Amino acid sequence: QEQSFGCMWYVKWMLKTEYAANRKCKLIVVTKIDGSLGRSQEGEVRFLYQSGFAHDTIDILEFAKRHSPVQIAKALQRQELKDMRQKQIKELRMFQEEEKERRQQQKEQLRKHQLEEEALKAKYAWVQRQLRAEQEELHQKHAEERRKQQEVQESEVHQQRSYRPVKMPVGSKIRPSGLPRRWRVRPS
């Protein structure tokens, strides 16, 4: 019996069918075993013809054979394998990108360490040069001080030798070599 009010599900079905047809999905009409349609199906098929959507028609037994749990399981398995492969490929690409980025960071860190090491070597060489220059300067000052001390000592020794009279024991016949007799000091 025909009713004056419509069903909300039919409007949603039409929208989803249009969406599927526009996305190039294959539309299938499933009939009874004898190939006849139910009352709601007649309206749905009429909509397909009016909209110009291509569709296939199969009976419920053929549909069940094609879409048995085993067939569905196989199809799902194929889809799962395909999804798994795509996921593995995606993970591999992500890993490769991460590895590439990690290597790049390592190269940057290595270069940074090399630059720091070169800077430290240059600073060490500069400090070594400064220390050597200071040591050389100290060595020269020390040598100059020793030379001056030596000169002072030699001068004092010379003065002491020049002004010091030679004391000889009384009655001694030994003369200091090279000194005349008159330089001898006599006891008082």
Side-chain angles (χ1 to χ4, degrees), residues 26-64:
K26 184 178 181 181
L27 303 178
I28 300 173
V29 175
V30 181
T31 65
K32 296 178 183 178
I33 295 173
D34 62 0
S36 62
L37 298 171
R39 211 166 205 216
S40 295
Q41 286 177 310
E42 289 175 356
E44 292 165 358
V45 171
R46 191 176 321 113
F47 170 76
L48 293 175
Y49 281 118
Q50 288 172 351
S51 300
F53 297 137
H55 62 279
D56 291 340
T57 304
I58 58 171
D59 64 50
I60 189 71
L61 288 177
E62 184 64 30
F63 181 80

Side-chain angles (χ1 to χ4, degrees), residues 114-175:
Q114 287 173 340
L115 291 174
E116 289 173 355
E117 186 178 351
E118 289 173 6
L120 285 174
K121 284 180 180 179
K123 188 173 183 178
Y124 178 76
W126 180 81
V127 168
Q128 289 290 3
R129 285 192 302 272
Q130 293 295 98
L131 286 174
R132 272 191 238 116
E134 288 176 9
Q135 286 176 346
E136 183 64 30
E137 186 178 324
L138 286 173
H139 181 69
Q140 287 176 355
K141 284 181 181 178
H142 189 63
E144 183 66 25
E145 286 176 7
R146 275 187 295 176
R147 188 182 58 74
K148 285 181 181 179
Q149 284 177 350
Q150 200 171 20
E151 285 177 1
V152 167
Q153 286 176 351
E154 287 176 0
S155 171
E156 287 176 357
V157 167
H158 181 68
Q159 286 176 356
Q160 288 174 357
R161 284 186 185 166
S162 301
Y163 300 109
R164 193 171 101 197
V166 177
K167 291 187 179 181
M168 300 291 290
V170 177
S172 170
K173 297 188 178 182
I174 301 173
R175 287 190 307 162

